[in-house]
Amino acid sequence: MNKLVSRAKMMKKQIFYILFLISTISFAQNPMVKAEIDTTNIRIGEQFQLKISVDETKNVIIPKIKLKGLEIVDSTKVDTLKNSLIRKYILTGFDSGAFYIPQQQIFVKNQAYLTDSLLVNVATIAVDTTKVKKFPIKAIKAEPYTFDDFKIYIYIALAILAIIGFWIYWFVIRKRKEEEEVPTYRTLPPYEEAIFKLNELDEKLLWQNNKVKEYYSELTEIVRGYIERELNVPALENTTDEVLEMINDFKKSDTIETSKETIAKLKDLLREADLVKFAKSKPLAIEIEDDRKDAEFIIGNLKPKQITAQEDELE
């Protein structure tokens, strides 16, 4: 019984060794993959070519090349030629000595294959120091300037420009705009200014849009402003009764040219405006249009009396 067991164990060991030997042989002997170099001797810095060929085009994986002492300068894409794949690498070495390109593992249809290892000798370049021209030691070269070297000056310049721009805007452009925005009618004579403002009021269409209170406020302000400029009295600040009292006093003293009709229209207009502004009165459209006509009539028929040369001599 023991002999049978020992024989079985021996057979298992033999089968294992046979399988291991077969796998080793198939892994090492790989006619499907091949690695070649165009030279085995180079000088430091020279380049040479490594070519890996695979006699198969489907399910081929060429991993990254592993090197020791040598460096990859460039590589090409995989080329397909008939029934094989080829990939080329440009290599070089910067240290003298003998270096191996180790076996590279290539996978073909999930089966691993190894290329041959290759030996490359890298030789130094002999330098004849007697023929080399000597040069003086160069001075230390300054590093190139970067943005960080100038950013503080750029920030200061931007701040100065911002201050100058603000100063120009505030004291030049803004002042010029304010001068340009001054209404031209302020320089007109009192009568022309009042007529201009009446036309502007008509264009606003205030009472037509149910803004009767705003309309009468502007209408009486135009009339009061005309009286203030033409007769040189504070008509805008005084009440309706005070304005009417001043006009009557001027009429009695014969210092203005007007009629009782003009004064009556002025009284009716100012009273109507007070009712609209303070008593919320709502005049009809025809009444509003009449008040507009009366305002223009008052402006045209209320003016200071012109003193003739003869009257001036009498005074």
Side-chain angles (χ1 to χ4, degrees):
M1 186 71 179
N2 292 330
K3 290 181 178 180
L4 292 174
V5 173
S6 60
R7 285 182 180 179
K9 289 181 178 180
M10 287 294 293
M11 289 181 66
K12 288 182 179 179
K13 288 182 180 181
Q14 290 175 355
I15 293 171
F16 174 76
Y17 289 140
I18 292 170
L19 292 175
F20 176 75
L21 182 61
I22 292 171
S23 63
T24 303
I25 294 171
S26 64
F27 194 74
Q29 297 177 352
N30 38 57
M32 293 192 67
V33 298
K34 186 178 180 182
E36 299 175 284
I37 54 176
D38 56 358
T39 182
T40 58
N41 297 286
I42 65 168
R43 288 180 293 183
I44 289 177
E46 286 186 338
Q47 298 177 357
F48 65 98
Q49 180 178 278
L50 167 66
K51 181 174 71 173
I52 295 178
S53 305
V54 182
D55 293 336
E56 183 58 63
T57 58
K58 296 181 179 179
N59 298 328
V60 177
I61 300 175
I62 302 177
K64 185 177 179 182
I65 297 296
K66 297 179 181 179
L67 299 173
K68 291 183 180 180
L70 300 172
E71 296 183 15
I72 298 175
V73 178
D74 196 7
S75 63
T76 62
K77 294 182 179 180
V78 177
D79 294 331
T80 303
L81 299 175
K82 296 182 180 179
N83 295 323
S84 62
L85 296 179
I86 296 175
R87 186 166 190 180
K88 297 177 182 179
Y89 300 86
I90 303 299
L91 307 181
T92 188
F94 296 103
D95 294 320
S96 61
F99 300 97
Y100 275 100
I101 299 175
Q103 293 178 314
Q104 305 297 321
Q105 195 174 41
I106 312 297
F107 294 91
V108 180
K109 297 181 179 179
N110 297 324
Q111 178 67 44
Y113 295 90
L114 292 176
T115 64
D116 295 331
S117 60
L118 303 169
L119 179 65
V120 178
N121 294 305
V122 181
T124 57
I125 301 174
V127 179
D128 187 355
T129 56
T130 60
K131 296 181 180 179
V132 175
K133 186 178 179 181
K134 295 181 179 180
F135 296 92
I137 299 174
K138 294 184 178 179
I140 299 173
K141 188 176 181 181
E143 293 184 359
Y145 291 109
T146 62
F147 174 76
D148 291 338
D149 297 325
F150 300 99
K151 65 180 181 181
I152 183 64
Y153 303 105
I154 294 174
Y155 294 153
I156 292 173
L158 291 175
I160 293 172
L161 290 174
I163 293 171
I164 294 172
F166 175 78
W167 185 88
I168 293 173
Y169 170 78
W170 188 261
F171 294 101
V172 179
I173 298 176
R174 178 174 167 271
K175 187 176 180 181
R176 187 179 300 168
K177 284 184 177 180
E178 289 180 353
E179 292 176 354
E180 291 175 355
E181 290 174 358
V182 174
T184 55
Y185 58 75
R186 290 178 183 265
T187 59
L188 295 174
Y191 174 78
E192 294 180 15
E193 179 188 29
I195 296 300
F196 181 81
K197 288 184 176 181
L198 285 175
N199 292 332
E200 279 191 332
L201 179 60
D202 293 339
E203 293 176 358
K204 292 181 180 179
L205 301 176
L206 292 177
W207 69 266
Q208 292 90 335
N209 291 289
N210 297 322
K211 295 181 180 180
V212 179
K213 182 177 178 180
E214 290 86 341
Y215 177 80
Y216 272 93
S217 294
E218 291 195 28
L219 183 65
T220 53
E221 185 177 346
I222 294 170
V223 175
R224 285 172 177 267
Y226 167 77
I227 294 172
E228 182 167 305
R229 287 196 62 199
E230 192 66 86
L231 304 182
N232 197 23
V233 293
L236 289 169
E237 300 174 3
N238 290 335
T239 63
T240 297
D241 292 336
E242 289 171 341
V243 172
L244 293 173
E245 185 178 352
M246 285 189 297
I247 297 299
N248 286 320
D249 290 342
F250 285 138
K251 177 65 176 173
K252 290 177 183 179
S253 61
D254 199 25
T255 56
I256 60 173
E257 292 182 5
T258 188
S259 61
K260 292 183 179 180
E261 181 185 5
T262 304
I263 297 175
K265 287 182 179 295
L266 175 63
K267 179 179 179 180
D268 293 339
L269 176 62
L270 295 180
R271 299 285 188 198
E272 182 67 28
D274 289 340
L275 290 174
V276 172
K277 290 187 289 184
F278 304 112
K280 297 182 180 180
S281 175
K282 293 183 180 180
L284 300 175
I286 190 171
E287 294 175 334
I288 297 174
E289 291 175 351
D290 289 340
D291 288 336
R292 164 64 176 82
K293 294 176 183 177
D294 290 343
E296 188 169 350
F297 180 84
I298 294 166
I299 292 169
N301 292 277
L302 180 61
K303 59 189 68 176
K305 187 176 181 180
Q306 301 295 326
I307 300 175
T308 62
Q310 185 178 0
E311 290 176 342
D312 191 23
E313 289 178 0
L314 291 174
E315 291 179 357

